[in-house]
Amino acid sequence: MIRREVDHARCRAGAMLLALGCALLAGCASGGEEPTPPVTTPSTGASAAATLVVVGSGTTIAHLDSQDEIARWASQVLVVTPRSEEPRDSGGAPEVGRDVTVEVDEVIWTAADAITSLGEGQRSTFYEYPAYVQGEGDLVPAVEEGRSRLELGQPGVVFLADDVVDDEQAFTLLHVSALEEGQVSLAGAAGRVDISHLAQQVDAAALRVDRLTPHPGESLVQRLERYPVEE
């Protein structure tokens, strides 16, 4: 990874920490934390999908737009179906995050050095931001530019990284991609990618990229800080 890429990622990570705090880092898998009740209610049904708002920035550390970037950053790639959600109180901010609980439908790829992993049928909760914007009395569904949004009952593909949150080993949600007819779209790849081929492609990419290897007890931001930068 060249210096400008790492510096860009560090800037995004720093801004994210200042804005949200360590507990809200990009999207953390959690088991028992109780989210703060929202002050408004989400829009639902067809009208919500029709009014999806695309926002310019969120808490993304890395844009996983190619097999190389998946191999560099991710620990696991899964097909999941969201089962429930709980928006968080934004404290009056225009953009709102949510805790979304998903069920694992299929394990597409797991890194050989992954510390955390999920299996088929397991459930986990991730923090996703932004998930809504404040409307007039309602929360309007929102998504960060360049990624897809997890929708209740609809399978999607999630890209996860090992992380440490509140001194516990966890997953951080790096990226979400829509799943259409067994394929995902990666911005840096030519056309759509068949998920049945993705694991083999990512394994091949791992042979040519400098991976940010996770260490037990090390947060994603700490891993970024220790990663050597090419001059």
Side-chain angles (χ1 to χ4, degrees), residues 161-225:
D162 275 298
D163 200 358
V164 171
V165 180
D166 295 334
D167 298 322
E168 293 185 4
Q169 201 74 45
F171 263 147
T172 279
L173 180 62
L174 286 179
H175 188 74
V176 177
S177 182
L179 178 63
E180 298 178 6
E181 299 181 347
Q183 296 182 323
V184 294
S185 179
L186 300 175
R192 301 185 63 78
V193 178
D194 193 316
I195 62 170
S196 65
H197 301 153
L198 186 59
Q200 183 178 359
Q201 293 171 359
V202 175
D203 281 337
L207 300 176
R208 61 177 179 262
V209 302
D210 293 325
R211 176 165 168 77
L212 277 74
T213 304
H215 289 176
E218 178 184 64
S219 73
L220 185 57
V221 171
Q222 288 172 328
R223 184 153 78 249
L224 180 64
E225 288 299 323

Side-chain angles (χ1 to χ4, degrees), residues 36-40 87-97 129 132 134 139:
T36 304
V39 294
T40 51
R88 292 193 186 182
D89 188 346
S90 67
E95 295 175 1
V96 179
Y129 179 91
Y132 293 97
Q134 297 280 4
L139 295 178

